[in-house]
Amino acid sequence: MNSCADSAGKPGLGSDVRLHFLQTRTQDLEKEKSIRRTVGFEIIFPSMLKEARSFGLNLPYDLPCLKQIITLREEKITRIPVEVMHSVQTTILFSLEAVQELVQWDRMLKLQSTNGSFLDSPAATAAAYLNTRDKKFLEYLTYIVRTFEDHAPDLYPVDTFERGWVVDTVQRLGIDHHFREEISITLDFLYRNIRKDGLAWGRDTYITDIDDTSVSSRLLRLHGYPISPDVLEHFKDGDDSFLCYIGETHQGVSDFFSLYRFFQIAFPGEKILKQAKSFAKKRLVNGIEDNNVHDKWAIKKALHKEVTCSVFPTVLT
C-alpha cells in the first residue's frame, strides 16, 4: 500500500496500473465470500483504507461491502475492549499494527510472548518494535529474516499446528506405518505442550483454540495418551455452544469439523463430548444445507464432500 501511495501523485504508467489494480480488486470484494478472506482481514483492511484515503488515492470508499467490513472491525474491537486488550493476550494482538491508535505501548510489553513476538505475528511485532525499540521484538524479527531471508510469513512459528495436521493427514492417507518413529516423536511433542486450557498453533502462544486442541487431543487419545475431554470446558460459550476463540466474530467449518471428529473417540459418560458433537453437527449441517462449507483455515477442494461424508455417511456412498 505504501509503495502505491508514494507514487500516487506522480504521473506515469506504473502509478496508473497500480491504482487500476486496487480499484478493480476492491470492487471484487462485493462478490467475494467473507469466509475466503485472510485472517484478521476485517481489522487490517479498514486501516489500510484509512491510510489510502490520507494519501489521496482514488478508491471506491463508499462501496457497501467496504462499509460492511468497517462495521465488522468496529464490532470485533467492541468485543475486545481496550482495557482487556492491554490486560491479557487476545486475538487482537495478531493485528496490532492495524489498531495502533488504540495502543498504549508501555502497557502492552507484558503481553509479549516468550519468543519476543506479539502472538507470533511479524507484522504486529514490527509495529511494536517501531514504537518501543524493545530488544526482544528486534530479536524475533531478526530470527524471522534469517529464517526466511527474502520474505516473512504472516504467522510464525506454527510448530504445534503443523505437527498435528501432518500426523492427522498421514494417518488418513493410510501411510502412517512408514513413519511410526516420527509420529511417536511428534505426539510426544504435542503431549508436552498441551495445557489444561488446550493447545495453540505454536508452543510459545498463550491463546489456545478449539481447532488445534481437538485435532491433537483426538490423535493423542488414539495413541493411548491420557487426554481428558474437560479441556473443551475452556471453549464453552454458554451451556451448549462452543467457540474457537474468545471474542471471535466468525466461526469456521474446520473448527467444528475437528470438534465433531474428536467426539468419534469419546468414552461412555463423557458429557462434554456429547454436547460438543451435538453443537458441531448442527453447525456443519447448517453449512451443508446453505452450501457454505468453506474455510480460510482449511483450503481444500473437497472440504464440502469430506464434511458431508462424515456427517451423513450414506449420502456420498
Side-chain angles (χ1 to χ4, degrees), residues 59-240:
L59 297 175
Y61 298 104
D62 294 326
L63 284 177
C65 67
L66 298 187
K67 293 180 179 180
Q68 183 182 22
I69 294 170
I70 292 171
T71 300
L72 187 59
R73 178 184 191 268
E74 294 170 351
E75 178 187 345
K76 191 161 189 176
I77 290 176
T78 301
R79 291 193 178 199
I80 305 177
V82 172
E83 189 58 38
V84 173
M85 183 178 76
H86 287 84
S87 303
V88 296
Q89 285 195 349
T90 62
T91 53
I92 203 73
L93 281 178
F94 181 78
S95 309
L96 206 60
E97 72 276 15
V99 292
Q100 295 187 54
E101 71 278 6
L102 302 176
V103 177
Q104 298 174 31
W105 293 102
D106 57 328
R107 296 180 60 195
M108 297 297 290
L109 289 175
K110 65 178 180 291
L111 304 179
Q112 190 177 39
S113 298
T114 56
N115 63 11
S117 74
F118 267 151
L119 213 60
D120 300 328
S121 168
T125 306
Y129 175 69
L130 290 173
N131 283 278
T132 65
R133 300 297 174 178
D134 181 81
K135 290 183 179 180
K136 289 184 68 178
F137 289 135
L138 182 59
E139 289 172 1
Y140 169 79
L141 294 170
T142 302
Y143 164 66
I144 292 294
V145 172
R146 287 175 177 170
T147 301
F148 296 96
E149 296 183 357
D150 60 349
H151 69 283
D154 66 331
L155 180 69
Y156 193 83
V158 286
D159 44 13
T160 49
F161 169 84
E162 288 176 330
R163 285 167 169 81
W165 259 257
V166 165
V167 173
D168 185 53
T169 301
V170 167
Q171 287 192 169
R172 295 169 77 184
L173 288 171
I175 57 174
D176 49 301
H177 56 283
H178 293 295
F179 304 98
R180 286 173 181 164
E181 182 178 352
E182 291 86 350
I183 288 174
S184 178
I185 293 171
T186 300
L187 292 175
D188 283 344
F189 174 88
L190 294 174
Y191 186 65
R192 286 196 306 270
N193 285 282
I194 196 167
R195 310 191 301 257
K196 290 183 179 180
D197 61 345
L199 196 68
W201 61 72
R203 76 180 96 175
D204 295 320
T205 306
Y206 177 78
I207 301 174
T208 59
D209 65 87
I210 204 169
D211 204 359
D212 286 292
T213 299
S214 295
V215 168
S216 294
S217 295
R218 180 180 184 276
L219 289 171
L220 290 168
R221 269 199 163 191
L222 281 172
H223 287 265
Y225 291 80
I227 296 295
S228 170
D230 292 341
V231 69
L232 296 177
E233 290 285 354
H234 177 71
F235 304 103
K236 290 195 73 174
D237 181 35
D239 293 333
D240 300 310

